[in-house]
Structure formats: structure tokens, C-alpha cells
Amino acid sequence: MTETGDTTQPTLAMNEKFFLVVDSATVGQHVAMLAVFSPPDGADADFPVRLLERLRKIRTFAAPFNYVLDRPALRKIAPSMSALPDDQIDLDRHLRYHRLPAPGGQRELDDLIAELHSPRLDFGRPLWEYHLIDGLANGRFATYVKFHHAVMDGVGWNQRFTQSVTLEPEDQELRPIWTIGPNAARPAPLAPAPMKDVMAVRKEMKRNAKRAVPEIAAPYLAPKTVLNRRLTRRRRATTVAYPLDRIRGIAKTAGVTVNDVLVSSVAGGLRRYLEERGELPSKSLIASAPYNIRLPGDDATLNAYSTILITMFTDIAHPVERLKAVARSSGFAKRDIRSRTPEVAVMYSPLIGGTWTLNQMTGLAGRTAPPFSTIVSCIPGPDSDLYLGGAHLDAMFPIGPLYHGSGLIVAALTISGTFGIGFHCCPDTVPGIESIARYTAAALDDLESTLAVGAGT
């Protein structure tokens, strides 16, 4: 990892500048990771408080946790960042403690996360916060780490987080996430893609839209629903977790990927949610899915992803038929982007959402047709059990970004043998996030039971 206190000038790529330009009072571009831990057997009730005090003593900072905007007022016009030395970062402004009211269940945790996630980050300081949350049921505690998407994506987070925890509960060494920097220099930026290649992809996307083949998703084919309206400042999130082996078992039985199972289950949940509201469109919803383009060994690039579109087949009621159709759609999208050079692949995001990005700033987003219905993301992590100061990591849940016209994101993370799903919405736009989570869980159960019946016949 890099030495803490490194003050090398960071470079912001196009996609990192996007998050700063789009960020507004109602479209804050911060994301978060919520991790739930069980203290070691026999630990005292004050274990989380003592862990906090240990963390508070470690006041060295690595990239990107020492990055600060040079001129916050100009971030939308000419965003740039500098790295601060350790003595100019006040950890007490970033590290905070909370205790849930009894009984410390899902509702109490969701209420606190809504309170913490709704405000934007302080643009005058390094763009992150670390909250330790005590008082969860059964003696557990949580950490909620909030950071701006401009300084880190989900894969980058995982690369740092796995270095901040240990493989053995006996290993008590603390390496706070803010001390973990990249192990190597940032690769040279990609050369601009040849314009003829970019225009060929754009032409193909337009051709796909006209052909209207269900398995081939294209921008602006999604029907507008309650998910695609204007946002307010309020946020609401909830989480569910499953044993990773269960999700992999479903995927293996069906001959699909874990990500296909996620997209299909979310589709089933949204189908029921919209049906109950009397708003289920005859046309299928379309998911936008981040696609990792990070080079092997690269842990220095702040954001390294592109975008693909997947038809969710919310118009199909049968769970296995829907899953198979989703797998065909995602398979086509992945084969297509993999056939491109890296320079062209990275252009899929602006090709899909360029006009929509401009509409975020003009006020048209959420009032005009959306390029997709919702964002569904799946981030892979290590399977092995992980520990923080001896406490076992039970699950981790991503809380992704929202936009005008995209008021719901469902993001999953596989880590420590668990498949954790975070549901995040603007409750004034998409009411009832708990129902969407519950219906998604029911759709997963239906898929599993239908597959089991089919396998037994």
C-alpha cells in the first residue's frame, strides 16, 4: 500500500468528474457501505466502544481518504483535488459513534441510515465519513462508511476493505480503512477511442432500439414508472442477506450467473410492487448494470467501470422463465461489451446516458423518458470469513447513488460467505422500499422452489 500522508496530486478522469458535476442538493453523489459485525465470544458489552477508541488513535491517512477539493465552489466547472498531509485532517470530523434505540432491529437501523445518508458530504473536507453503530440486536454492531463516488467505486472499496480486516479472529491488529492506499501507481489513462468505433456502437444501439428484440436492451426503451420521477433530498435504505452458497446453488441449478439471479429476483419484486399499485407496464423494465473494466492489479484508479443494459422481463410471471430470459439478455450485453477494445468499452456509459446526464443539470431528468428503469449492481468479494479487531463480519450492504429519473438502486455484495443486498430509494419518489425488499425476497423463494420442483420431475 502507499505510505500514509502521500500528497501526490490526484488526477480526475471523466467519470470521476461526472459525479462532482452531477452532484446537487437532491442528487448527492455519495455512496456507502454498511457492514454488520458480531463481537468475539465472551466480549464485554462495551466492545464496540473500546474498538472505536482504538480506531480514534490511528490518525494517518492514505489516498483517497486524504483527497480534498481544491475549489469546492468550482467543482461543477473545473473540478480538481489535492492530497492533504495527515496533520491537516481532523479525524474527529470523520469518525462518529451512534447507539440504536431498543430493540436495535432492522427498523431502528434503517431509520438511522436514512438520517445519515440523506445529507451531502462536506465539500470542504476529505469526502468520507466513518460511523460506528452500537446497540444492534444480539449484541452486534455495524459500521457505515459514506464516501463520494468521485473518489472510489465499489471494487476499489473492496480492494481496500479486504486489507483493513483479518482472516483470523485472534489477529487483533487494526488497519482502519482510511489508512489503506493503493499498492501501485495508477495506470496511464486510456487513449481516446477512435470516433468511427464509437459512432459504430452508437449506430448499433439505435438499430437495436428499432429492432425491439426483447433480449437486446437499448437506451430509452424502458417504460416510465414511479421509479423514474424527480427526487427530493430524503433517502431511505433497507437490507437483506442470504448465505452465498444458497444463491450460487440457485444459479448452478439454473445454469446462469449469480448476477442473473439478482436481476431476476429484483424484477420479480418490482413486478409485484408495481402490480399492487396498478402500475405494472406491459413493456418490461430495463436495468442499468455497472460493468467492471478495472485492469488486473489496478487498485489506484478511483473509478473503473462502464455500463450495460439488461432487460428485466418484468412482463413474465413465471420465475424460471423470467430468469432464463434475463440470462439471455445479460449474456448478450456482456458478449457485446467484451468484444470492444477498452477504449470503446468505457464509452458505453456516456453513449447510454449522455443526454440523461445533461438532463440532470437542465432539470429535464425525471420529466422525460429515462434511458433505463433502475440500477442493479453486484460486487464480488472474498468468500473467507473476515474479522475486524476480532469481530466477525456477518454481512456487508452497498448503498448506491440515485438520480433524477432513477429513484431506486439495488446493489449486492458477496463477502464473508454472505450475499448482502442494499435497497436504496428516495421515499418521496419510490414509497415503500421495505415492500420492494420483501417482494424481492419472495421472488427469490419462488424461483428456488420452482427450480426444485422442476429438478424433481
Side-chain angles (χ1 to χ4, degrees):
M1 70 188 71
T2 55
E3 292 296 322
T4 53
D6 179 16
T7 55
T8 303
Q9 183 81 11
T11 301
L12 296 178
M14 178 181 64
N15 53 357
E16 285 127 26
K17 291 179 180 179
F18 159 81
F19 293 116
L20 293 168
V21 170
V22 170
D23 192 297
S24 70
T26 50
V27 188
Q29 290 300 285
H30 52 271
V31 294
M33 291 288 180
L34 174 66
V36 177
F37 296 88
S38 290
D41 291 340
D44 294 335
D46 66 347
F47 177 88
V49 175
R50 289 188 288 108
L51 177 65
L52 177 75
E53 292 310 311
R54 291 180 63 198
L55 290 169
R56 201 180 295 280
K57 292 176 182 177
I58 304 174
R59 295 175 178 258
T60 51
F61 305 91
F65 299 94
N66 57 0
Y67 289 176
V68 67
L69 284 166
D70 293 324
R71 298 172 298 278
L74 298 179
R75 67 185 181 277
K76 290 179 177 290
I77 303 170
S80 65
M81 288 185 164
S82 296
L84 294 177
D86 292 343
D87 60 4
Q88 292 186 27
I89 301 174
D90 183 357
L91 180 61
D92 295 329
R93 297 276 190 169
H94 298 269
L95 179 60
R96 302 168 192 177
Y97 173 83
H98 311 268
R99 185 171 183 85
L100 293 183
Q106 186 73 51
R107 182 58 184 260
E108 289 75 26
L109 181 59
D110 290 353
D111 287 347
L112 177 60
I113 297 305
E115 179 184 330
L116 297 178
H117 204 75
S118 293
R120 297 157 81 192
L121 290 159
D122 183 347
F123 286 113
R125 304 182 184 280
L127 298 174
W128 61 277
E129 299 170 358
Y130 188 110
H131 300 258
L132 193 146
I133 304 169
D134 200 353
L136 274 68
N138 302 315
R140 299 195 297 173
F141 69 95
T143 60
Y144 162 85
V145 184
K146 177 178 175 179
F147 52 94
H148 203 281
H149 212 324
V151 301
M152 194 159 45
D153 62 14
V155 174
W157 161 269
N158 255 8
Q159 290 172 325
R160 285 160 178 78
F161 178 79
T162 53
Q163 296 177 68
S164 74
V165 290
T166 65
L167 294 171
E168 302 295 337
E170 295 79 17
D171 187 347
Q172 296 292 311
E173 181 185 2
L174 282 184
R175 298 184 290 272
I177 189 76
W178 58 82
T179 69
I180 308 296
N183 290 294
R186 183 170 181 164
L190 294 170
M195 186 53 64
K196 64 178 180 62
D197 294 342
V198 175
M199 294 308 294
V201 174
R202 182 171 181 267
K203 189 179 293 184
E204 187 171 335
M205 287 183 178
K206 286 190 171 184
R207 187 163 56 245
N208 288 338
K210 289 179 180 178
R211 289 166 60 195
V213 177
E215 286 81 4
I216 304 177
Y220 299 100
L221 288 183
K224 191 173 182 182
T225 70
V226 66
L227 309 178
N228 308 121
R229 302 187 301 191
R230 301 284 294 177
L231 307 182
T232 69
R233 301 183 185 206
R234 295 179 63 224
R235 297 293 183 264
R236 185 78 184 173
T238 194
T239 60
V240 294
Y242 303 98
L244 180 54
D245 285 346
R246 179 187 176 194
I247 307 300
R248 283 179 173 162
I250 294 171
K252 184 177 180 180
T253 300
V256 301
T257 68
V258 164
N259 191 66
D260 295 334
V261 173
L262 173 65
V263 174
S264 182
S265 298
V266 173
L270 288 175
R271 174 185 168 85
R272 180 173 171 184
Y273 173 78
L274 292 171
E275 203 167 34
E276 283 193 354
R277 293 174 58 90
E279 299 175 12
L280 178 65
S282 57
K283 230 175 142 181
S284 174
L285 303 189
I286 293 176
S288 169
Y291 184 82
N292 180 34
I293 57 172
R294 189 176 294 267
L295 296 173
D298 173 20
D299 63 353
T301 300
L302 305 182
N303 285 267
Y305 71 92
S306 191
T307 303
I308 60 174
L309 297 179
I310 303 170
T311 307
M312 301 181 76
F313 291 96
T314 47
D315 53 331
I316 296 179
H318 193 279
V320 176
E321 290 179 9
R322 183 173 59 244
L323 174 62
K324 296 289 189 181
V326 165
R328 290 193 296 272
S329 182
S330 67
F332 173 86
K334 290 173 185 176
R335 287 190 300 273
D336 174 55
I337 198 168
R338 286 170 185 161
S339 71
R340 313 295 180 179
T341 64
E343 293 81 7
V344 174
V346 76
M347 294 301 296
Y348 272 52
S349 293
L351 285 171
I352 289 170
T355 301
W356 178 71
T357 298
L358 291 174
N359 288 346
Q360 297 294 322
M361 296 175 279
T362 62
L364 290 175
R367 297 187 173 101
T368 54
F372 50 81
S373 305
T374 187
I375 301 172
V376 182
S377 174
C378 188
I379 306 167
D383 288 354
S384 53
D385 287 326
L386 299 173
Y387 300 86
L388 175 66
H392 181 262
L393 173 64
D394 297 337
M396 186 179 292
F397 309 95
I399 301 174
L402 301 179
Y403 303 92
H404 292 305
S406 181
L408 170 72
I409 180 170
V410 182
L413 193 150
T414 65
I415 198 166
S416 207
T418 302
F419 191 76
I421 310 176
F423 297 79
H424 178 215
C425 75
C426 169
D428 296 321
T429 299
V430 185
I433 189 76
E434 295 83 5
S435 294
I436 295 174
R438 188 167 62 252
Y439 296 161
T440 298
L444 180 67
D445 291 342
D446 289 345
L447 174 59
E448 185 177 42
S449 60
T450 305
L451 281 168
V453 169
T457 57

